Amino acid sequence: MPPAYCVVIPFLDRFDMLKTNLESLLDDLPEATQVVCVDDASHPPAAEDTGLKPLFDDPRVTLLSHSVNLGPGAARNTALAWCRDAGVELIILLDSDCRVGPGFVASHVALHRE
């Protein structure tokens, strides 16, 4: 079943911030929600980072990667194309340095449903 909701996080390097962001999201992620992270050509690639690997192994997280840096807009567009192909109903855009509080995604979903 495709995810109904998606949180998109483009990033370049900043692995510690991304890790904090993902941990705060995954602790309180509503059912049917996917997190799509787009690595905009970090060096080394985020997929090789031992601190992020357990988070990327979570089935609720999808990691997409650019081989060259294209900028945050292109990284968002890569994620939006993935969401469109997956039939996602609601997309929430975050920056890699965000740390969300409890209920962040659920509140957005509730407002969307209204």
Side-chain angles (χ1 to χ4, degrees), residues 15-16 19 44-54 56:
F15 296 162
D16 289 341
K19 183 176 186 281
E48 297 175 8
D49 186 81
T50 57
L52 288 171
K53 183 163 178 19
F56 293 147

Side-chain angles (χ1 to χ4, degrees), residues 14-26:
R14 304 175 120 187
F15 296 162
D16 289 341
M17 288 185 205
L18 178 64
K19 183 176 186 281
T20 300
N21 185 338
L22 283 172
E23 288 171 342
S24 66
L25 273 171
L26 294 174

Side-chain angles (χ1 to χ4, degrees), residues 9-82:
I9 307 170
F11 68 95
L12 174 63
D13 302 319
R14 304 175 120 187
F15 296 162
D16 289 341
M17 288 185 205
L18 178 64
K19 183 176 186 281
T20 300
N21 185 338
L22 283 172
E23 288 171 342
S24 66
L25 273 171
L26 294 174
D27 281 346
D28 194 40
L29 203 62
E31 191 174 322
T33 304
Q34 188 75 18
V35 177
V36 175
C37 298
V38 183
D39 184 351
D40 194 27
S42 295
H43 187 72
E48 297 175 8
D49 186 81
T50 57
L52 288 171
K53 183 163 178 19
L55 297 167
F56 293 147
D57 287 343
D58 188 304
R60 300 170 295 172
V61 178
T62 297
L63 175 63
L64 307 175
S65 299
H66 290 166
S67 58
V68 295
N69 180 267
L70 300 173
R76 285 184 190 96
N77 287 341
T78 295
L80 293 174
W82 183 95

